[in-house]
Structure formats: C-alpha cells, structure tokens
Amino acid sequence: MTAVTMHLGEIGQQLRAFRLESGMRADEIAARLGVSRAALYRYEKGEVIKLDTVQRLAELLNISPLTLLGVGIEYYSCPNRFFQKITQIEGDIEQILQVSDPVCYQVTSPAYDAILLEAHACQQEKEGSAVIDAPPILAQSKRRALYSQRKPSIISMLPENHIIDFLTHGVGASFPMSAPLRHKARQVAVQEIRNIITLIDSVPMGLQFSVVPKNISTTSCIFMRRSELMAVAINPFRSDCSAARTSGIAMITSSPEAVATHKQMLETLWQTSLKGQDAIDRLKTLVEQHGAV
C-alpha cells in the first residue's frame, strides 16, 4: 500500500496531462473511468484511487497497471515519445544524475537546436515523404527552459568516446549533411564542449560535470528524483538524433530495485570519473585533437 500511496501524485499528474492533451471533456474521461467528474478532479489532485479504476485508467493511458503504480516499466521505441516523457518528468524533479550524451542538453546553447532543425529541413527536402517524424529536438525543447526556471541539481557524466564522436562528426551525427553543414555542425559541437569547460571552471551551484575515461564502458541512463519519488531511464537515444535514422528501445521505471541499482552504479561511476581541473584538461585535449578548425 505504501508504494501505491507514494505514486498517487504522479498518477494524478498523468491523468491531468491526458485530460489536457487529449482534447476530451472531463465528463467524457470520467464516464470512461466509471466515476463522477468530481472524483476525476480528486484523482488529479493525488487522492486515493480504487484499484478497479486504476485498471480502467491504465487502459485509457495505454500502459500497464503496474507501470501506472510505479513498479512496472514503460518502453519507448520512438525517441520523440521518450523525450516528451522525460520533459514531463523533469518538470517536477529536484535532482538529475546522468551518463548519456556528450553534452548536458539542459545547458546547451540555442545553436545546438538550430543546427539540428537546419539538418532536419535539409533531410526533409532531400528525402521528402520518407522523413515523416519531427526531429526529436522539438520533443525536448522545453527541457532547457524548465531547467532555467526550476534549477534542479544536475550531475552529468560525459563519456569520452561520445565526446570524441561528437567533435569528429558534429551535432546531429546521424543526419545526412552537406560538407558545409557538417563543418558547421562540428563547429557548434566544439563550442558546446567549450561551454562545458567554462561551466566546470566557474562551478555553478547545483551543476557538476565529469568525464568518463574511454576505457570505461557505460550504459546510458538518467536517474531522476523528487522527494521520495525516484525513477530511472535507460536511454539509447542521443538528444541530437534523427528519428528517421535511429532505432532502439528506451525504458523508464520507478521500480525500487532498478532505481537503487542504477543509482549505485552512477554514484560509483562519478567517483571514478575525471572532475574539476582534470576534466577541463581532458576536454581541452579532446577539442584540440578532434575539434573542427
């Protein structure tokens, strides 16, 4: 019962988000759940929900009841849907601990988004109807604004192998680009790494970086916490990926065992990664060796 109670607030948030995004009236949703409109609003506020209603709500949201209660796993084969979910979660969290991209998206510059939108437009023009999905960058574009508003604590560990690939191919490595655009993408990548160097040097409150040496293999994942509520995402999708040229399955779960195991792994990785001046020196070397001229 404790686990269910802990997730009532999150269940309410999902229900409210569905009501606002679906375009359905509150009366319609209440009828499909078999409850009154007043009960619907109470559930949105995080009040106790009956188990039979949980089952109907899970069917309405197209997820399993266990996932709705925070002990199951949500699977995402579409990077856009995954980043939409991550954006929703990050709108109400206090701490992020992650190892994934060669950058921390929340503190990237507008040039990062701009080059991806330009690359997508060129891809759309070249391939036409073959490119039907919007670029994943649009699905997560609110993450930077949310971070600026809320300033959650972020610890971001950057794998050295990912940084080398980032500097070598530039932002949006999976997008087909002309030579001039690819060079521009590499220049933006260099500037993003230089921005991280500046952030490490200035030591802003609540924002920390480290570099994971290339001899250490890692699983890309994100640990997210709000008070006693925690979740972990296993993520094969880079924030600068092309939806048309990306394949994988991302997973999000609040299972206590999964959360505890990944949190311990991330904390251990933080201890063994390069921090402070060591991280700055390594990033500068990588920019000199692999950055665009």
Side-chain angles (χ1 to χ4, degrees), residues 80-125:
N80 287 352
R81 289 189 59 213
F82 171 75
F83 285 121
Q84 286 170 354
K85 181 64 176 183
I86 288 295
T87 301
Q88 177 187 336
I89 296 173
E90 288 183 351
D92 192 30
I93 61 172
E94 300 165 357
Q95 181 186 35
I96 299 171
L97 182 60
Q98 66 183 20
V99 54
S100 52
D101 284 2
V103 294
C104 175
Y105 176 74
Q106 293 90 328
V107 294
T108 53
S109 71
Y112 183 91
D113 291 15
I115 193 71
L116 290 170
L117 293 174
E118 186 174 353
H120 177 76
C122 292
Q123 185 182 14
Q124 185 76 61
E125 182 178 351

mmCIF file of all heavy atoms in Angstrom, residues 80-125:
data_model
loop_
_atom_site.group_PDB
_atom_site.id
_atom_site.type_symbol
_atom_site.label_atom_id
_atom_site.label_comp_id
_atom_site.label_asym_id
_atom_site.label_seq_id
_atom_site.Cartn_x
_atom_site.Cartn_y
_atom_site.Cartn_z
ATOM 1 N N ASN A 80 10.925 10.531 -30.033
ATOM 2 C CA ASN A 80 10.083 11.688 -29.743
ATOM 3 C C ASN A 80 9.226 11.459 -28.502
ATOM 4 O O ASN A 80 9.137 12.305 -27.614
ATOM 5 C CB ASN A 80 9.175 11.992 -30.943
ATOM 6 C CG ASN A 80 9.935 12.608 -32.097
ATOM 7 O OD1 ASN A 80 11.106 12.944 -31.963
ATOM 8 N ND2 ASN A 80 9.276 12.749 -33.224
ATOM 9 N N ARG A 81 8.577 10.294 -28.436
ATOM 10 C CA ARG A 81 7.741 9.987 -27.276
ATOM 11 C C ARG A 81 8.576 9.880 -26.002
ATOM 12 O O ARG A 81 8.147 10.297 -24.927
ATOM 13 C CB ARG A 81 6.978 8.685 -27.517
ATOM 14 C CG ARG A 81 5.870 8.791 -28.552
ATOM 15 C CD ARG A 81 5.031 7.521 -28.568
ATOM 16 N NE ARG A 81 4.436 7.295 -27.258
ATOM 17 C CZ ARG A 81 4.211 6.091 -26.750
ATOM 18 N NH1 ARG A 81 4.568 5.012 -27.422
ATOM 19 N NH2 ARG A 81 3.655 5.956 -25.571
ATOM 20 N N PHE A 82 9.770 9.314 -26.124
ATOM 21 C CA PHE A 82 10.633 9.196 -24.947
ATOM 22 C C PHE A 82 11.011 10.573 -24.415
ATOM 23 O O PHE A 82 10.901 10.837 -23.215
ATOM 24 C CB PHE A 82 11.897 8.414 -25.291
ATOM 25 C CG PHE A 82 12.925 8.430 -24.196
ATOM 26 C CD1 PHE A 82 12.757 7.666 -23.052
ATOM 27 C CD2 PHE A 82 14.049 9.239 -24.295
ATOM 28 C CE1 PHE A 82 13.705 7.694 -22.025
ATOM 29 C CE2 PHE A 82 14.997 9.279 -23.280
ATOM 30 C CZ PHE A 82 14.815 8.500 -22.144
ATOM 31 N N PHE A 83 11.433 11.466 -25.287
ATOM 32 C CA PHE A 83 11.852 12.790 -24.829
ATOM 33 C C PHE A 83 10.671 13.627 -24.330
ATOM 34 O O PHE A 83 10.834 14.473 -23.452
ATOM 35 C CB PHE A 83 12.614 13.524 -25.934
ATOM 36 C CG PHE A 83 14.020 13.011 -26.131
ATOM 37 C CD1 PHE A 83 14.417 12.501 -27.360
ATOM 38 C CD2 PHE A 83 14.930 13.020 -25.096
ATOM 39 C CE1 PHE A 83 15.701 12.014 -27.541
ATOM 40 C CE2 PHE A 83 16.215 12.540 -25.267
ATOM 41 C CZ PHE A 83 16.607 12.029 -26.501
ATOM 42 N N GLN A 84 9.496 13.397 -24.892
ATOM 43 C CA GLN A 84 8.306 14.059 -24.351
ATOM 44 C C GLN A 84 8.064 13.625 -22.912
ATOM 45 O O GLN A 84 7.743 14.437 -22.038
ATOM 46 C CB GLN A 84 7.089 13.728 -25.221
ATOM 47 C CG GLN A 84 7.064 14.450 -26.553
ATOM 48 C CD GLN A 84 5.982 13.918 -27.486
ATOM 49 O OE1 GLN A 84 5.311 12.920 -27.179
ATOM 50 N NE2 GLN A 84 5.810 14.561 -28.627
ATOM 51 N N LYS A 85 8.224 12.330 -22.645
ATOM 52 C CA LYS A 85 8.040 11.816 -21.293
ATOM 53 C C LYS A 85 9.105 12.354 -20.352
ATOM 54 O O LYS A 85 8.817 12.752 -19.215
ATOM 55 C CB LYS A 85 8.075 10.285 -21.311
ATOM 56 C CG LYS A 85 7.858 9.642 -19.944
ATOM 57 C CD LYS A 85 6.463 9.946 -19.387
ATOM 58 C CE LYS A 85 6.223 9.216 -18.085
ATOM 59 N NZ LYS A 85 4.858 9.437 -17.554
ATOM 60 N N ILE A 86 10.343 12.381 -20.793
ATOM 61 C CA ILE A 86 11.430 12.911 -19.964
ATOM 62 C C ILE A 86 11.187 14.378 -19.640
ATOM 63 O O ILE A 86 11.394 14.827 -18.505
ATOM 64 C CB ILE A 86 12.792 12.736 -20.672
ATOM 65 C CG1 ILE A 86 13.197 11.260 -20.682
ATOM 66 C CG2 ILE A 86 13.882 13.558 -19.995
ATOM 67 C CD1 ILE A 86 13.451 10.666 -19.318
ATOM 68 N N THR A 87 10.723 15.133 -20.616
ATOM 69 C CA THR A 87 10.414 16.544 -20.383
ATOM 70 C C THR A 87 9.326 16.681 -19.334
ATOM 71 O O THR A 87 9.401 17.544 -18.444
ATOM 72 C CB THR A 87 9.974 17.226 -21.691
ATOM 73 O OG1 THR A 87 11.027 17.120 -22.655
ATOM 74 C CG2 THR A 87 9.663 18.701 -21.456
ATOM 75 N N GLN A 88 8.308 15.825 -19.413
ATOM 76 C CA GLN A 88 7.225 15.855 -18.429
ATOM 77 C C GLN A 88 7.752 15.552 -17.034
ATOM 78 O O GLN A 88 7.416 16.238 -16.061
ATOM 79 C CB GLN A 88 6.157 14.831 -18.806
ATOM 80 C CG GLN A 88 5.004 14.729 -17.808
ATOM 81 C CD GLN A 88 4.062 13.583 -18.136
ATOM 82 O OE1 GLN A 88 3.978 13.142 -19.272
ATOM 83 N NE2 GLN A 88 3.377 13.087 -17.133
ATOM 84 N N ILE A 89 8.609 14.549 -16.917
ATOM 85 C CA ILE A 89 9.166 14.179 -15.606
ATOM 86 C C ILE A 89 10.037 15.302 -15.061
ATOM 87 O O ILE A 89 9.967 15.639 -13.872
ATOM 88 C CB ILE A 89 9.971 12.875 -15.718
ATOM 89 C CG1 ILE A 89 9.061 11.703 -16.101
ATOM 90 C CG2 ILE A 89 10.674 12.558 -14.396
ATOM 91 C CD1 ILE A 89 9.815 10.412 -16.383
ATOM 92 N N GLU A 90 10.867 15.882 -15.911
ATOM 93 C CA GLU A 90 11.799 16.906 -15.450
ATOM 94 C C GLU A 90 11.095 18.194 -15.030
ATOM 95 O O GLU A 90 11.715 19.054 -14.406
ATOM 96 C CB GLU A 90 12.829 17.212 -16.548
ATOM 97 C CG GLU A 90 13.835 16.096 -16.729
ATOM 98 C CD GLU A 90 14.886 16.417 -17.766
ATOM 99 O OE1 GLU A 90 14.757 17.434 -18.487
ATOM 100 O OE2 GLU A 90 15.836 15.633 -17.879
ATOM 101 N N GLY A 91 9.813 18.309 -15.347
ATOM 102 C CA GLY A 91 9.074 19.495 -14.935
ATOM 103 C C GLY A 91 8.785 19.531 -13.454
ATOM 104 O O GLY A 91 8.306 20.557 -12.940
ATOM 105 N N ASP A 92 9.102 18.429 -12.738
ATOM 106 C CA ASP A 92 8.740 18.381 -11.323
ATOM 107 C C ASP A 92 9.754 17.569 -10.517
ATOM 108 O O ASP A 92 9.382 16.803 -9.645
ATOM 109 C CB ASP A 92 7.338 17.777 -11.169
ATOM 110 C CG ASP A 92 6.774 17.957 -9.765
ATOM 111 O OD1 ASP A 92 7.131 18.955 -9.114
ATOM 112 O OD2 ASP A 92 6.017 17.090 -9.319
ATOM 113 N N ILE A 93 11.043 17.715 -10.826
ATOM 114 C CA ILE A 93 12.048 16.957 -10.101
ATOM 115 C C ILE A 93 13.079 17.884 -9.465
ATOM 116 O O ILE A 93 13.189 19.061 -9.793
ATOM 117 C CB ILE A 93 12.763 15.926 -10.993
ATOM 118 C CG1 ILE A 93 13.476 16.637 -12.142
ATOM 119 C CG2 ILE A 93 11.818 14.885 -11.507
ATOM 120 C CD1 ILE A 93 14.343 15.712 -12.938
ATOM 121 N N GLU A 94 13.857 17.315 -8.542
ATOM 122 C CA GLU A 94 14.841 18.085 -7.788
ATOM 123 C C GLU A 94 16.274 17.701 -8.121
ATOM 124 O O GLU A 94 17.189 18.493 -7.914
ATOM 125 C CB GLU A 94 14.614 17.882 -6.282
ATOM 126 C CG GLU A 94 13.228 18.318 -5.813
ATOM 127 C CD GLU A 94 12.885 17.801 -4.432
ATOM 128 O OE1 GLU A 94 13.715 17.044 -3.862
ATOM 129 O OE2 GLU A 94 11.804 18.137 -3.917
ATOM 130 N N GLN A 95 16.477 16.482 -8.615
ATOM 131 C CA GLN A 95 17.838 16.012 -8.859
ATOM 132 C C GLN A 95 17.904 15.136 -10.091
ATOM 133 O O GLN A 95 17.013 14.319 -10.339
ATOM 134 C CB GLN A 95 18.355 15.219 -7.649
ATOM 135 C CG GLN A 95 19.777 14.708 -7.808
ATOM 136 C CD GLN A 95 20.202 13.804 -6.669
ATOM 137 O OE1 GLN A 95 19.397 13.055 -6.134
ATOM 138 N NE2 GLN A 95 21.468 13.872 -6.277
ATOM 139 N N ILE A 96 18.953 15.330 -10.892
ATOM 140 C CA ILE A 96 19.236 14.500 -12.053
ATOM 141 C C ILE A 96 20.676 14.015 -11.945
ATOM 142 O O ILE A 96 21.586 14.805 -11.697
ATOM 143 C CB ILE A 96 19.063 15.287 -13.370
ATOM 144 C CG1 ILE A 96 17.633 15.789 -13.524
ATOM 145 C CG2 ILE A 96 19.460 14.425 -14.571
ATOM 146 C CD1 ILE A 96 17.445 16.751 -14.689
ATOM 147 N N LEU A 97 20.855 12.725 -12.136
ATOM 148 C CA LEU A 97 22.182 12.111 -12.157
ATOM 149 C C LEU A 97 22.232 11.285 -13.426
ATOM 150 O O LEU A 97 21.434 10.351 -13.584
ATOM 151 C CB LEU A 97 22.371 11.241 -10.912
ATOM 152 C CG LEU A 97 23.705 10.535 -10.710
ATOM 153 C CD1 LEU A 97 24.847 11.538 -10.621
ATOM 154 C CD2 LEU A 97 23.661 9.682 -9.435
ATOM 155 N N GLN A 98 23.123 11.630 -14.356
ATOM 156 C CA GLN A 98 23.033 11.003 -15.666
ATOM 157 C C GLN A 98 24.390 10.726 -16.285
ATOM 158 O O GLN A 98 25.376 11.402 -16.025
ATOM 159 C CB GLN A 98 22.215 11.882 -16.617
ATOM 160 C CG GLN A 98 22.875 13.212 -16.940
ATOM 161 C CD GLN A 98 22.010 14.098 -17.822
ATOM 162 O OE1 GLN A 98 20.797 13.927 -17.926
ATOM 163 N NE2 GLN A 98 22.626 15.069 -18.482
ATOM 164 N N VAL A 99 24.413 9.696 -17.101
ATOM 165 C CA VAL A 99 25.534 9.439 -18.004
ATOM 166 C C VAL A 99 24.908 9.079 -19.341
ATOM 167 O O VAL A 99 24.166 8.109 -19.454
ATOM 168 C CB VAL A 99 26.460 8.313 -17.484
ATOM 169 C CG1 VAL A 99 25.693 7.043 -17.180
ATOM 170 C CG2 VAL A 99 27.562 8.027 -18.497
ATOM 171 N N SER A 100 25.130 9.921 -20.335
ATOM 172 C CA SER A 100 24.490 9.656 -21.627
ATOM 173 C C SER A 100 25.195 10.434 -22.735
ATOM 174 O O SER A 100 26.231 9.998 -23.237
ATOM 175 C CB SER A 100 23.006 10.023 -21.573
ATOM 176 O OG SER A 100 22.819 11.333 -21.088
ATOM 177 N N ASP A 101 24.663 11.568 -23.079
ATOM 178 C CA ASP A 101 25.163 12.357 -24.198
ATOM 179 C C ASP A 101 26.565 12.912 -23.945
ATOM 180 O O ASP A 101 27.031 12.960 -22.809
ATOM 181 C CB ASP A 101 24.216 13.529 -24.459
ATOM 182 C CG ASP A 101 22.945 13.106 -25.168
ATOM 183 O OD1 ASP A 101 22.786 11.900 -25.413
ATOM 184 O OD2 ASP A 101 22.116 13.972 -25.466
ATOM 185 N N PRO A 102 27.211 13.387 -25.018
ATOM 186 C CA PRO A 102 28.488 14.089 -24.847
ATOM 187 C C PRO A 102 28.302 15.503 -24.291
ATOM 188 O O PRO A 102 29.275 16.195 -24.027
ATOM 189 C CB PRO A 102 29.059 14.129 -26.264
ATOM 190 C CG PRO A 102 27.850 14.082 -27.142
ATOM 191 C CD PRO A 102 26.871 13.188 -26.437
ATOM 192 N N VAL A 103 27.052 15.916 -24.133
ATOM 193 C CA VAL A 103 26.731 17.217 -23.529
ATOM 194 C C VAL A 103 25.575 17.017 -22.558
ATOM 195 O O VAL A 103 24.980 15.945 -22.504
ATOM 196 C CB VAL A 103 26.324 18.269 -24.598
ATOM 197 C CG1 VAL A 103 27.489 18.596 -25.512
ATOM 198 C CG2 VAL A 103 25.114 17.792 -25.400
ATOM 199 N N CYS A 104 25.260 18.042 -21.796
ATOM 200 C CA CYS A 104 24.068 18.053 -20.953
ATOM 201 C C CYS A 104 23.063 18.960 -21.658
ATOM 202 O O CYS A 104 23.261 20.183 -21.709
ATOM 203 C CB CYS A 104 24.409 18.585 -19.561
ATOM 204 S SG CYS A 104 22.994 18.786 -18.463
ATOM 205 N N TYR A 105 21.994 18.371 -22.210
ATOM 206 C CA TYR A 105 21.109 19.147 -23.071
ATOM 207 C C TYR A 105 20.577 20.394 -22.387
ATOM 208 O O TYR A 105 20.439 21.454 -23.013
ATOM 209 C CB TYR A 105 19.934 18.303 -23.571
ATOM 210 C CG TYR A 105 18.982 19.138 -24.389
ATOM 211 C CD1 TYR A 105 19.325 19.528 -25.683
ATOM 212 C CD2 TYR A 105 17.792 19.620 -23.846
ATOM 213 C CE1 TYR A 105 18.497 20.350 -26.428
ATOM 214 C CE2 TYR A 105 16.956 20.434 -24.585
ATOM 215 C CZ TYR A 105 17.305 20.804 -25.872
ATOM 216 O OH TYR A 105 16.504 21.637 -26.592
ATOM 217 N N GLN A 106 20.273 20.310 -21.090
ATOM 218 C CA GLN A 106 19.647 21.433 -20.392
ATOM 219 C C GLN A 106 20.496 22.700 -20.421
ATOM 220 O O GLN A 106 19.960 23.800 -20.252
ATOM 221 C CB GLN A 106 19.337 21.055 -18.942
ATOM 222 C CG GLN A 106 18.266 19.990 -18.792
ATOM 223 C CD GLN A 106 18.833 18.590 -18.775
ATOM 224 O OE1 GLN A 106 19.844 18.305 -19.405
ATOM 225 N NE2 GLN A 106 18.192 17.713 -18.015
ATOM 226 N N VAL A 107 21.786 22.590 -20.634
ATOM 227 C CA VAL A 107 22.647 23.784 -20.637
ATOM 228 C C VAL A 107 23.313 23.991 -21.999
ATOM 229 O O VAL A 107 24.298 24.727 -22.104
ATOM 230 C CB VAL A 107 23.711 23.718 -19.516
ATOM 231 C CG1 VAL A 107 23.046 23.764 -18.151
ATOM 232 C CG2 VAL A 107 24.582 22.472 -19.634
ATOM 233 N N THR A 108 22.779 23.358 -23.038
ATOM 234 C CA THR A 108 23.298 23.633 -24.372
ATOM 235 C C THR A 108 22.830 25.007 -24.834
ATOM 236 O O THR A 108 21.903 25.594 -24.280
ATOM 237 C CB THR A 108 22.822 22.567 -25.376
ATOM 238 O OG1 THR A 108 21.390 22.458 -25.306
ATOM 239 C CG2 THR A 108 23.457 21.223 -25.085
ATOM 240 N N SER A 109 23.453 25.500 -25.892
ATOM 241 C CA SER A 109 23.106 26.814 -26.432
ATOM 242 C C SER A 109 22.009 26.675 -27.482
ATOM 243 O O SER A 109 21.766 25.575 -27.998
ATOM 244 C CB SER A 109 24.339 27.454 -27.077
ATOM 245 O OG SER A 109 24.670 26.772 -28.287
ATOM 246 N N PRO A 110 21.335 27.767 -27.833
ATOM 247 C CA PRO A 110 20.325 27.714 -28.903
ATOM 248 C C PRO A 110 20.897 27.232 -30.238
ATOM 249 O O PRO A 110 20.156 26.692 -31.075
ATOM 250 C CB PRO A 110 19.842 29.164 -28.999
ATOM 251 C CG PRO A 110 20.069 29.719 -27.625
ATOM 252 C CD PRO A 110 21.352 29.082 -27.153
ATOM 253 N N ALA A 111 22.213 27.401 -30.437
ATOM 254 C CA ALA A 111 22.833 26.951 -31.680
ATOM 255 C C ALA A 111 22.740 25.445 -31.844
ATOM 256 O O ALA A 111 22.701 24.925 -32.968
ATOM 257 C CB ALA A 111 24.301 27.388 -31.719
ATOM 258 N N TYR A 112 22.691 24.728 -30.732
ATOM 259 C CA TYR A 112 22.561 23.262 -30.757
ATOM 260 C C TYR A 112 21.237 22.870 -31.412
ATOM 261 O O TYR A 112 21.205 22.032 -32.316
ATOM 262 C CB TYR A 112 22.641 22.755 -29.316
ATOM 263 C CG TYR A 112 22.610 21.255 -29.137
ATOM 264 C CD1 TYR A 112 23.783 20.516 -29.101
ATOM 265 C CD2 TYR A 112 21.406 20.572 -28.962
ATOM 266 C CE1 TYR A 112 23.776 19.146 -28.905
ATOM 267 C CE2 TYR A 112 21.376 19.195 -28.763
ATOM 268 C CZ TYR A 112 22.565 18.486 -28.735
ATOM 269 O OH TYR A 112 22.537 17.133 -28.538
ATOM 270 N N ASP A 113 20.135 23.481 -30.964
ATOM 271 C CA ASP A 113 18.828 23.204 -31.569
ATOM 272 C C ASP A 113 18.789 23.672 -33.016
ATOM 273 O O ASP A 113 18.245 22.987 -33.891
ATOM 274 C CB ASP A 113 17.727 23.919 -30.789
ATOM 275 C CG ASP A 113 17.504 23.335 -29.411
ATOM 276 O OD1 ASP A 113 18.365 22.582 -28.932
ATOM 277 O OD2 ASP A 113 16.464 23.642 -28.799
ATOM 278 N N ALA A 114 19.358 24.841 -33.286
ATOM 279 C CA ALA A 114 19.265 25.445 -34.610
ATOM 280 C C ALA A 114 19.919 24.574 -35.679
ATOM 281 O O ALA A 114 19.357 24.393 -36.770
ATOM 282 C CB ALA A 114 19.910 26.835 -34.594
ATOM 283 N N ILE A 115 21.079 24.007 -35.372
ATOM 284 C CA ILE A 115 21.759 23.196 -36.380
ATOM 285 C C ILE A 115 20.980 21.912 -36.648
ATOM 286 O O ILE A 115 20.933 21.418 -37.781
ATOM 287 C CB ILE A 115 23.208 22.885 -35.944
ATOM 288 C CG1 ILE A 115 24.007 22.327 -37.124
ATOM 289 C CG2 ILE A 115 23.252 21.937 -34.771
ATOM 290 C CD1 ILE A 115 24.322 23.331 -38.191
ATOM 291 N N LEU A 116 20.313 21.376 -35.620
ATOM 292 C CA LEU A 116 19.517 20.161 -35.806
ATOM 293 C C LEU A 116 18.274 20.436 -36.646
ATOM 294 O O LEU A 116 17.888 19.622 -37.493
ATOM 295 C CB LEU A 116 19.119 19.580 -34.448
ATOM 296 C CG LEU A 116 20.270 18.966 -33.647
ATOM 297 C CD1 LEU A 116 19.822 18.633 -32.231
ATOM 298 C CD2 LEU A 116 20.801 17.716 -34.348
ATOM 299 N N LEU A 117 17.640 21.578 -36.415
ATOM 300 C CA LEU A 117 16.469 21.938 -37.220
ATOM 301 C C LEU A 117 16.870 22.190 -38.673
ATOM 302 O O LEU A 117 16.144 21.828 -39.606
ATOM 303 C CB LEU A 117 15.794 23.174 -36.625
ATOM 304 C CG LEU A 117 15.136 22.975 -35.255
ATOM 305 C CD1 LEU A 117 14.622 24.299 -34.708
ATOM 306 C CD2 LEU A 117 14.010 21.951 -35.342
ATOM 307 N N GLU A 118 18.034 22.789 -38.875
ATOM 308 C CA GLU A 118 18.530 23.020 -40.225
ATOM 309 C C GLU A 118 18.838 21.687 -40.915
ATOM 310 O O GLU A 118 18.506 21.488 -42.089
ATOM 311 C CB GLU A 118 19.787 23.894 -40.180
ATOM 312 C CG GLU A 118 20.293 24.315 -41.540
ATOM 313 C CD GLU A 118 21.451 25.294 -41.470
ATOM 314 O OE1 GLU A 118 21.789 25.754 -40.345
ATOM 315 O OE2 GLU A 118 22.035 25.595 -42.530
ATOM 316 N N ALA A 119 19.454 20.771 -40.168
ATOM 317 C CA ALA A 119 19.774 19.456 -40.734
ATOM 318 C C ALA A 119 18.498 18.690 -41.082
ATOM 319 O O ALA A 119 18.414 18.031 -42.128
ATOM 320 C CB ALA A 119 20.620 18.660 -39.743
ATOM 321 N N HIS A 120 17.477 18.779 -40.218
ATOM 322 C CA HIS A 120 16.215 18.088 -40.487
ATOM 323 C C HIS A 120 15.534 18.668 -41.719
ATOM 324 O O HIS A 120 14.992 17.920 -42.540
ATOM 325 C CB HIS A 120 15.288 18.210 -39.284
ATOM 326 C CG HIS A 120 13.941 17.596 -39.514
ATOM 327 N ND1 HIS A 120 13.725 16.236 -39.489
ATOM 328 C CD2 HIS A 120 12.733 18.156 -39.806
ATOM 329 C CE1 HIS A 120 12.453 15.985 -39.736
ATOM 330 N NE2 HIS A 120 11.831 17.123 -39.935
ATOM 331 N N ALA A 121 15.565 19.985 -41.861
ATOM 332 C CA ALA A 121 14.948 20.620 -43.021
ATOM 333 C C ALA A 121 15.631 20.157 -44.308
ATOM 334 O O ALA A 121 14.951 19.865 -45.310
ATOM 335 C CB ALA A 121 15.033 22.140 -42.886
ATOM 336 N N CYS A 122 16.947 20.049 -44.266
ATOM 337 C CA CYS A 122 17.681 19.578 -45.449
ATOM 338 C C CYS A 122 17.362 18.116 -45.740
ATOM 339 O O CYS A 122 17.202 17.720 -46.904
ATOM 340 C CB CYS A 122 19.178 19.755 -45.222
ATOM 341 S SG CYS A 122 19.731 21.479 -45.141
ATOM 342 N N GLN A 123 17.251 17.309 -44.673
ATOM 343 C CA GLN A 123 16.899 15.908 -44.842
ATOM 344 C C GLN A 123 15.494 15.759 -45.421
ATOM 345 O O GLN A 123 15.259 14.938 -46.307
ATOM 346 C CB GLN A 123 17.003 15.186 -43.494
ATOM 347 C CG GLN A 123 16.765 13.686 -43.567
ATOM 348 C CD GLN A 123 16.829 13.023 -42.197
ATOM 349 O OE1 GLN A 123 16.801 13.693 -41.175
ATOM 350 N NE2 GLN A 123 16.911 11.698 -42.188
ATOM 351 N N GLN A 124 14.562 16.566 -44.935
ATOM 352 C CA GLN A 124 13.184 16.529 -45.430
ATOM 353 C C GLN A 124 13.127 16.918 -46.905
ATOM 354 O O GLN A 124 12.413 16.284 -47.699
ATOM 355 C CB GLN A 124 12.325 17.480 -44.605
ATOM 356 C CG GLN A 124 10.841 17.442 -44.947
ATOM 357 C CD GLN A 124 10.141 16.220 -44.380
ATOM 358 O OE1 GLN A 124 10.113 16.036 -43.171
ATOM 359 N NE2 GLN A 124 9.592 15.395 -45.241
ATOM 360 N N GLU A 125 13.889 17.925 -47.260
ATOM 361 C CA GLU A 125 13.902 18.386 -48.652
ATOM 362 C C GLU A 125 14.491 17.321 -49.572
ATOM 363 O O GLU A 125 14.001 17.106 -50.691
ATOM 364 C CB GLU A 125 14.722 19.673 -48.761
ATOM 365 C CG GLU A 125 14.767 20.259 -50.155
ATOM 366 C CD GLU A 125 15.556 21.559 -50.202
ATOM 367 O OE1 GLU A 125 15.919 22.089 -49.131
ATOM 368 O OE2 GLU A 125 15.804 22.047 -51.320
#
